[in-house]
Structure formats: C-alpha cells, structure tokens
Amino acid sequence: MNIILIPGLWLDAGVWSDVLEPIRASGHTPHAVSLPGQGGEPLNATLDDQINAVAATVDAADGPALVVGHSAASTLAWLAADRRPDAVARVVMIGGMPAQNGSQYAGFFEPEGNLIPFPGWQEFEGPDSDDLSEEQKTAFEHAAIPVPSTVSHATVTYQDERRRTVPITMICPEYSPADVEEWRAAGQIPELDGLEIELIDIDSGHWPMFTKPAALAGALAAIADRS
C-alpha cells in the first residue's frame, strides 16, 4: 500500500528518513510529502497550497493510500480524506487530532511578522521531549523551518461529509489511548464525535520518528496490512 507521510510544524519531508526503509522492507511504498512553505515552494505558502500538495500525492499514488499526519498535520491528513474520500483508505494521526471546522489550523503560537519560528524547547518540556537527546534537540533546532502564518493561522474548512466514512487510527506517543478516550468523552475532539477510532500506544515522546523509528514504521506497516 502507498503510505503518505505528512510532516508537522517546522519540519520537512526529511523528518521521515529513518522510517522509509523499514516501511519499504515491509512491502509498502512510502511517500514523504514536501509541504509548500516547509521545505517546498512557495515559501509564502497558504494552507490551501499544503492541502493541494497532499491531495496531489494521493492522486499520484497507484491505488488507495494510507495518509499519515504528524502532530498539527493530523488535520492535513484529515483534510486529505475530506478532499479525496474515495482514494484515502485510512487516516493515521500521530500525536495529534484534527482541528474543528471553522477553527485555525495551528494557531498555537504568535507570528513574528508572517512566520511562526520554532519556539524553543521550553514549550515542549516534559513527556513531549524527554526521550530526545541533546544532540537530537540541537539537530531539530538547526533544521526547523519557520511556518508561514498563512498556514498556521488559516481557517480549516471541510467540504465533504464522506470523510467521516474513512477509517481512523490515532497513534498515541506522549499520551495514552485512555487520555484520548477521556478527551473525546469531554467533547474536546468535536471533529471526531461519533466516529470509531483505532488507538495504538507507542511509548515515546512527541516525535517517535526520531526516537522510535523502527516501532513507528512497524506500526504503520501493520496498519497498512489491514487497511
């Protein structure tokens, strides 16, 4: 199966480098997406540019695709299901959940000019980053790409209710499946209200592609096997 991998904020397609070969070895075909504004042109990209880049990758795949989004890009993965409900076999959300219709894509940080730079590790102290080495943190900072505010602060608009028929798996890194169930019960993930969701636990921080790439690749391959 084609496995389309979408990076989260501040990251380009290279974030998936350590999971690509294990996925190929499992018999599946990975496609790491280069998002406009995050390593791809245009540098002043909009959210629509990023949606179109993901949709184009789905369109180019030879058959149904497993669409995987990390962190904020869980919303991009869900938007792919919205734009291409017949071509997306399943959506996988790693360490994230989809934004509500009409809300901002990722308005967590204030822009500096028209960009959202990586805010530093103080924003991710604790379970998010405890498993990253100092070398990994330094490499992340050096590679981090400021995200255009035309992406992060754009309004999310879903168009096709058929997205709600696309199966969903949530991979839980720095939090547990029980946490997700608690958040859902409290109405904190309204976009997924009433939907059946497969929950998978990975014992890692927020970036398992750095610290648990083999486990993450194995989980994605197993999901693809049954999708």
Side-chain angles (χ1 to χ4, degrees):
M1 175 174 281
N2 294 283
I3 301 179
I4 295 172
L5 303 164
I6 313 170
L9 298 180
W10 309 298
L11 300 169
D12 63 13
V15 69
W16 303 106
S17 58
D18 288 342
V19 305
L20 298 180
E21 189 51 41
I23 288 175
R24 291 190 189 101
S26 72
H28 298 287
T29 304
H31 305 270
V33 179
S34 182
L35 290 173
Q38 291 175 226
E41 298 289 344
L43 299 180
N44 60 342
T46 66
L47 180 59
D48 281 342
D49 291 327
Q50 294 200 347
I51 295 169
N52 291 339
V54 176
T57 308
V58 172
D59 292 342
D62 55 346
L66 185 75
V67 180
V68 181
H70 173 250
S71 192
S74 295
T75 298
L76 267 181
W78 193 232
L79 282 161
D82 180 73
R83 301 304 197 264
R84 300 292 188 271
D86 296 325
V88 176
R90 178 178 290 269
V91 167
V92 180
M93 305 173 184
I94 304 171
M97 50 212 68
Q100 187 174 359
N101 192 52
S103 67
Q104 289 183 332
Y105 172 69
F108 317 125
F109 304 102
E110 286 301 312
E112 295 182 13
N114 64 342
L115 295 172
I116 308 292
F118 177 64
W121 292 108
Q122 67 276 10
E123 297 288 344
F124 302 102
E125 289 181 352
D128 281 347
S129 63
D130 281 347
D131 63 338
L132 288 168
S133 68
E134 289 306 313
E135 291 79 7
Q136 287 172 319
K137 289 181 178 180
T138 299
F140 186 113
E141 289 182 65
H142 288 164
I145 301 166
V147 177
S149 59
T150 45
V151 172
S152 62
H153 285 59
T155 299
V156 172
T157 303
Y158 300 110
Q159 301 176 355
D160 195 328
E161 284 297 307
R162 289 181 297 163
R163 72 185 180 281
R164 298 177 63 82
T165 67
V166 176
I168 303 166
T169 297
M170 297 181 75
I171 293 180
C172 307
E174 75 274 19
Y175 51 81
S176 70
D179 291 328
V180 175
E181 295 288 13
E182 182 178 328
W183 297 334
R184 293 189 73 195
Q188 295 176 10
I189 317 177
E191 177 55 27
L192 301 183
D193 280 353
L195 301 185
E196 183 175 343
I197 301 173
E198 177 186 42
L199 298 172
I200 296 176
D201 194 25
I202 284 187
D203 185 17
S204 76
H206 189 63
W207 293 273
M209 64 283 289
F210 293 140
T211 59
K212 294 287 182 70
L216 179 59
L220 294 175
I223 294 166
D225 285 341
R226 58 180 180 267
S227 295

